[in-house]
Amino acid sequence: MDWSMVDQLVQKWLVEARGRILTSLQQRLTIESKSNANDLVTNIDRETEQFFIEKVKDHFPNHRLLGEEGFGDDVQTLEGIVWIVDPIDGTMNFVHQQRNFAISIGIYEEGVGKLGYIYDVMNDELYHAENGKGAFYNGEQLPILQPVELKEAIVGLNTTWVVPNKRVNHERLIPIVKQARGTRSYGSAALEMAYIAVDTLDAYITMRLSPWDFAAGMVILKELGGICTNLEGKPLSLTDSSPVVVARPGLHDELMNIINR
């Protein structure tokens, strides 16, 4: 596969999708709830996912696509080439603030991340990476992440503690909040992972994410030495939801020691 060619296509499609989303902001949104009243979806989420499905199937009919809104393929394994797409990560922000949301795309071949894109639509900021070639912010290559101690770190923290069929003891995270220099919550997992890439955040912790939330960020942060695991320190599954701990090297070990103390 000519990944440079794919990269050029994806960046072109992202710009086109941005134009469609900006136009939609001038129109009335159709807003619905999914699993609960706070799990929102709009017609733009669905239309944007269908836009990428059409582009992928037209150019790469043998590729499969796993999308948040369910219009793609029934992906149970990562055999072949799989696109993992969140058309709007941060839908609540999109609905209420019209900012702090992103398009997130991770492309995997036989389970290996090849390309990753997190596109901050409103700010026209693109974070992307190609396996083995580094990570970039608006075309400028990013440096490898350097270690930092928790006492000097800003930690992104999602305060939703409930995992399906399980309640996570949030007391495990209290020492992190107390010891960190500061905590933040932006309401978009993709952007919070992107912010680690550019040193705006040093870590991100959440009790529940789906593959389309972190697939792109994993590709980007791997190129920079960032570490992405579940609460047990094991690799994240791209076919299941999971708690997620993402951090700079060194800091990740410190966080895991606290969480599993």
Side-chain angles (χ1 to χ4, degrees), residues 119-175:
Y119 188 34
D120 184 333
V121 172
M122 300 308 293
N123 290 317
D124 191 21
E125 294 177 340
L126 177 62
Y127 310 79
H128 84 282
E130 182 175 349
N131 183 37
K133 294 188 177 181
F136 303 82
Y137 168 69
N138 283 346
E140 296 292 328
Q141 186 154 9
L142 294 169
I144 297 297
L145 294 171
Q146 299 302 310
V148 66
E149 295 182 15
L150 179 58
K151 64 183 180 181
E152 298 177 343
I154 305 296
V155 179
L157 198 62
N158 185 321
T159 55
T160 300
W161 308 114
V162 179
V163 177
N165 304 319
K166 179 179 179 182
R167 181 174 291 275
V168 175
N169 183 358
H170 69 278
E171 292 182 357
R172 296 167 71 181
L173 302 185
I174 291 176

Side-chain angles (χ1 to χ4, degrees), residues 9-23 48 51-52 54-55 59 103 119 121 124:
L9 283 174
V10 176
Q11 293 201 39
K12 177 183 176 182
W13 297 343
L14 287 169
V15 172
E16 188 174 343
R18 176 178 189 259
R20 294 163 61 97
I21 291 171
L22 294 180
T23 298
T48 302
F51 166 81
F52 282 106
E54 180 180 326
K55 294 295 187 182
H59 288 78
I103 300 170
Y119 188 34
V121 172
D124 191 21

Side-chain angles (χ1 to χ4, degrees), residues 37-107:
N38 298 323
D39 185 9
L40 303 181
V41 63
T42 72
N43 57 306
I44 306 306
D45 292 76
R46 291 169 171 152
E47 290 170 12
T48 302
E49 182 168 307
Q50 290 170 328
F51 166 81
F52 282 106
I53 289 172
E54 180 180 326
K55 294 295 187 182
V56 171
K57 295 301 183 182
D58 283 350
H59 288 78
F60 310 106
N62 294 325
H63 294 189
R64 293 181 297 152
L65 189 145
L66 172 63
E68 178 178 12
E69 306 313 329
F71 295 110
D73 301 291
D74 181 16
V75 176
Q76 301 296 326
T77 71
L78 293 179
E79 295 176 357
I81 297 178
V82 179
W83 298 54
I84 304 177
V85 177
D86 192 338
I88 295 183
D89 183 75
T91 299
M92 189 177 293
N93 292 347
F94 173 64
V95 170
H96 289 277
Q97 303 172 351
Q98 297 188 353
R99 66 184 66 193
N100 292 328
F101 64 90
I103 300 170
S104 176
I105 301 174
I107 307 175

Side-chain angles (χ1 to χ4, degrees), residues 173-189:
L173 302 185
I174 291 176
I176 293 173
V177 176
K178 288 183 174 180
Q179 294 177 42
R181 176 164 286 173
T183 59
R184 298 291 184 270
S185 181
Y186 293 96
S188 166

Side-chain angles (χ1 to χ4, degrees), residues 228-236 242-245 252 256:
C228 310
T229 71
N230 62 18
L231 290 180
E232 286 71 46
K234 297 178 181 178
L236 296 172
S242 172
V244 172
V245 180
H252 186 275
M256 296 304 297

